[in-house]
Each structure stands twice: as C-alpha cells, then as structure tokens.
Amino acid sequence: MKSDNKFIADVHLGKLAKGLRMAGFDVFYQTDCTNNELKTIAVQQNRVLLSRNAAFAKEAVIKTFILQSEDWFVQLQQVVEKFELRERFEPFTRCLACNGVLQSVSKEEIEPQLEENTRNYYNEFWQCCNCKRIYWKGSHYERMKKLISELKRSTEEK
C-alpha cells in the first residue's frame, strides 16, 4: 500500500514519529491535539493517521493505520512495511523536534550558537528551516545511522 509518505501520529506515538522523521518522512506530531483535531488535520493535509486507538479505523473519511505493538521500533517496522517505505528513506532531512526541513548551513552563520566543543570539533551543520534547531554529525549520528541500517535490514522483502 503506497502512500505519499505523509503521516500524523497520535499523542502516544512520539518515539515512532521521531523514528519516521529520522528516516526522512513527513510526520505531524503534537502532544496537545485532540482526536477531532487529529482527524481534521489528517483530512486537510491528506495524511495517514497512525494510532493504537482502533476507534480511528471506523472513520470513513480518514486514512488510518492502527498499530498493534507498544514497542516503537516494531511500530516503525510495521509502518515501513505497510507503506512500502524501505526504498524511500531520506535520512537526516527532517527536524526530529518539529518536522521542519533541514538545510545545510555554514559554520560561520551559526557559530555564536554553538557550544565550545561543537565549535572546535565539527565543521558540517544543518539547521531546521522552522524551529532553527542545529544538527551536526556528533556521537548520536553513528547510533542513528545504525538504527536506520537495522530498520532497512529488518524490513527487507522476504
């Protein structure tokens, strides 16, 4: 089941939302949305609603995917498999915090905002076009790359 790769995750799926964003997918996620607001946004923005709440599946006007597992990595695998996303990953192109698009930025532009060690040891940076959060390839980057590799490996077509 292919989609246009736009999702909205309910309040209980924060880790899943971050995992999908890490892989480069557009995921609307806010902790303060009511169920009615989730449905409205899903319809208006043509997003698939991801939830563990089976009641959403009864809604004829929204595309939903009800997740069974409580484990966020299993949920991530299920979404990747269900929507055939394995070959569509664009890692590290979305902000994990707000879903904005990341853009390359020169060190000079953001240098005043960097901690001393970051400034001393890193030269390549990306900034969210939305919330202005700054990203670089620190120790977390290798862990995230391994996670994405594991996700791809675990969802290989059988």
Side-chain angles (χ1 to χ4, degrees), residues 1-5 7 48-49 62-66 78-85 88:
M1 175 180 196
K2 293 187 180 179
S3 75
D4 58 4
N5 306 332
F7 302 98
V48 175
L49 176 59
I62 56 174
K63 294 178 270 182
T64 59
F65 182 50
I66 305 302
Q78 290 172 341
V79 172
V80 167
E81 289 171 357
K82 172 76 174 175
F83 296 97
E84 301 174 11
L85 303 177
R88 300 178 188 185

Side-chain angles (χ1 to χ4, degrees), residues 19 25 71 92-93 109 123 135 157:
F25 298 103
D71 180 280
F92 314 116
T93 58
E109 280 182 71
N123 294 306
Y135 292 85
E157 293 179 31

Side-chain angles (χ1 to χ4, degrees), residues 128-157:
C128 176
C129 62
N130 218 20
C131 72
K132 305 303 180 196
R133 186 177 187 149
I134 299 168
Y135 292 85
W136 62 95
K137 294 180 181 178
S139 59
H140 56 285
Y141 177 75
E142 289 303 318
R143 287 191 304 272
M144 292 165 70
K145 269 181 35 179
K146 284 180 184 170
L147 184 94
I148 289 171
S149 293
E150 171 60 23
L151 179 60
K152 277 193 164 192
R153 189 191 62 68
S154 70
T155 57
E156 284 178 0
E157 293 179 31

Side-chain angles (χ1 to χ4, degrees), residues 81-128:
E81 289 171 357
K82 172 76 174 175
F83 296 97
E84 301 174 11
L85 303 177
R86 194 172 163 276
E87 301 303 322
R88 300 178 188 185
F89 287 17
E90 294 179 25
F92 314 116
T93 58
R94 291 220 166 246
C95 179
L96 299 181
C98 79
N99 196 44
V101 175
L102 299 183
Q103 297 175 329
S104 182
V105 62
S106 72
K107 185 175 186 176
E108 294 73 34
E109 280 182 71
I110 55 161
E111 201 157 6
Q113 300 167 45
L114 301 175
E115 297 288 328
E116 184 179 353
N117 282 344
T118 305
R119 190 173 33 252
N120 292 339
Y121 295 106
Y122 299 97
N123 294 306
E124 214 176 357
F125 298 92
W126 294 264
Q127 188 170 35
C128 176

